[in-house]
Amino acid sequence: PEEFVYGEEDFVLQAASWGDSDSASSRFDRALLAGWSDRMERGLFRYRLGSLPTRVLPGPVRLVAQLNEQRSAERRPPQPVRSLQDPFDPGAFNFTRLRPAELLFRLRRTGGPGPPPDPLLVAINASPLERGHVLLLPEPARRLPQALTAPALCGALEAALLSAHPGFRVGFNGLGGGASVNHLHLHGLYLSRPLLVEEAPAEPLGPHLGLLRAGPAPAFLFFAARPAALEPVSRAVCRAAEHLGGAGLACNVLATRGDPPAGPGAGGGRGLRVLLWARPPRFGPKAGEPFAVALCELAGLLPLPAGPLYRDITEVQALSAIREHLLPESELLHLGRELARLLES
């Protein structure tokens, strides 16, 4: 694939407002969306994605429900995962098997700030959640399992700052936390609505860590106020994620444009919020669940598989389903104290 070479001058420090989001476009957005639309026209996806019915559920959490029946019916079945330490399996589907036409470009930074992250291949997600849904892949030939690394996360965070759209987010599902392929990858996608986790204030746990209780599920919050902070934040998030794995917990990560940890009006401009969720691992679907729970659901976006569920689900029902996957409050607070001490050492 061709290279998309960028430098610090390409970072969009303040994305467009939600009122102007439809016209927001950077060099990165134009390249990604043009390539994505071209592959859709060429029939390289598992289904043709049109406009998706979307509604905000009444209630204080402002969950965004979206009907996507085709993804549920036509996506590749998730790989069976047995543990948090499952090794890469060359016999299972992996991203070395992508067709060349599924690759859009390779992201590579030149110049500062700091050492450049891993180059990332940007490929279509053949079972998209939304228009522009892509995979961010460290070199697939390295055959890394689905365990987050700081160079890969830093590259994904930089990709988030290359977009001028307020709803371009990047994220990661760990093993036991909704990952469907055990080959290192992150997601990038455009979500058309603001989420509560972008602005809600967090309780400070330490100088570089907060606990965000608002939203569907409590998350540990990291914040990068400027591009130079992306690399240390990536290292801190991965150090925390490694600690979770050592404690037998799965994780999910989401990066989104947002207010400082103290919330809007607390001083300081918007930057990049990075949320880390800790959860008991779950391997395989559980009978009777209305929907799977991965990074989107934890952040407040509900991609739903059936029309009646989309029409009828309430915020109380959705939150009850999500919170089945969470840690008890006492365990969460104990873990927060452990992570605060870890990140200070």
Side-chain angles (χ1 to χ4, degrees):
E2 63 185 68
E3 287 207 325
F4 185 100
V5 179
Y6 65 95
E8 189 172 7
E9 68 278 4
D10 291 295
F11 292 139
V12 181
L13 300 184
Q14 294 297 326
S17 67
W18 280 104
D20 298 325
S21 62
D22 289 342
S23 59
S25 179
S26 66
R27 185 167 69 95
F28 171 81
D29 295 316
R30 292 189 293 273
L32 188 156
L33 292 170
W36 194 94
S37 298
D38 170 73
R39 273 51 168 198
M40 180 63 72
E41 291 301 316
R42 289 160 59 182
L44 293 173
F45 291 80
R46 287 178 169 256
Y47 47 86
R48 189 168 185 85
L49 189 74
S51 178
L52 297 173
T54 303
R55 71 185 185 100
V56 179
L57 302 188
V61 183
R62 307 198 308 260
L63 296 171
V64 179
Q66 199 164 57
L67 179 61
N68 192 335
E69 295 172 294
Q70 291 172 294
R71 177 175 166 86
S72 174
E74 300 181 37
R75 67 181 296 202
R76 180 185 296 106
Q79 289 177 11
V81 175
R82 295 168 295 278
S83 79
L84 298 175
Q85 288 82 36
D86 268 14
F88 175 85
D89 179 1
F93 172 80
N94 61 78
F95 300 119
T96 66
R97 301 184 184 182
L98 293 179
R99 296 167 289 181
E102 294 181 73
L103 305 177
L104 302 183
F105 48 81
R106 177 183 278 106
L107 281 173
R108 182 172 65 84
R109 172 159 67 80
T110 60
D118 280 353
L120 295 178
L121 284 172
V122 180
I124 63 170
N125 187 317
S127 301
L129 282 163
E130 260 285 14
R131 177 172 176 257
H133 185 180
V134 294
L135 301 171
L136 305 173
L137 309 171
E139 179 49 59
R142 295 168 62 191
R143 301 186 173 199
L144 298 172
Q146 183 68 348
L148 195 58
T149 69
L153 177 59
C154 187
L157 299 186
E158 291 192 356
L161 287 192
L162 291 173
S163 174
H165 193 287
F168 184 73
R169 282 100 174 197
V170 301
F172 171 85
N173 292 318
L175 297 180
S180 61
V181 178
N182 187 13
H183 192 184
L184 183 54
H185 65 286
L186 297 97
H187 294 267
L189 68 164
Y190 294 85
L191 303 181
S192 59
R193 304 292 179 97
L195 300 172
L196 184 59
V197 295
E198 298 167 19
E199 62 181 26
E203 304 168 17
L205 297 176
H208 308 294
L209 182 69
L211 178 62
L212 183 67
R213 292 182 180 271
F220 297 111
L221 177 64
F222 303 77
F223 185 70
R226 57 194 184 282
L230 298 181
E231 195 270 336
V233 163
S234 299
R235 284 190 282 108
V237 172
C238 288
R239 195 175 180 196
E242 183 178 9
H243 181 83
L244 299 186
L249 298 172
C251 74
N252 302 86
V253 175
L254 178 84
T256 181
R257 303 271 185 169
D259 290 298
R270 284 167 67 87
L272 207 59
R273 285 186 164 202
V274 185
L275 289 84
L276 172 68
W277 288 277
R279 54 191 290 186
R282 181 166 291 182
F283 304 111
K286 183 178 179 182
E289 284 188 316
F291 50 81
V293 174
L295 72 92
C296 286
E297 292 79 8
L298 294 169
L301 173 73
L302 308 180
L304 299 175
L309 180 63
Y310 168 76
R311 290 190 300 271
D312 299 338
I313 194 168
T314 66
E315 180 179 275
V316 170
Q317 292 168 332
L319 292 177
S320 176
I322 291 169
R323 288 169 180 168
E324 287 288 318
H325 295 257
L326 305 182
L327 294 171
E329 169 92 355
S330 59
E331 290 185 33
L332 180 74
L333 294 177
H334 177 73
L335 184 61
R337 292 190 291 269
E338 287 186 340
L339 293 180
R341 288 194 297 268
L342 176 75
L343 297 176
E344 283 305 292
S345 64

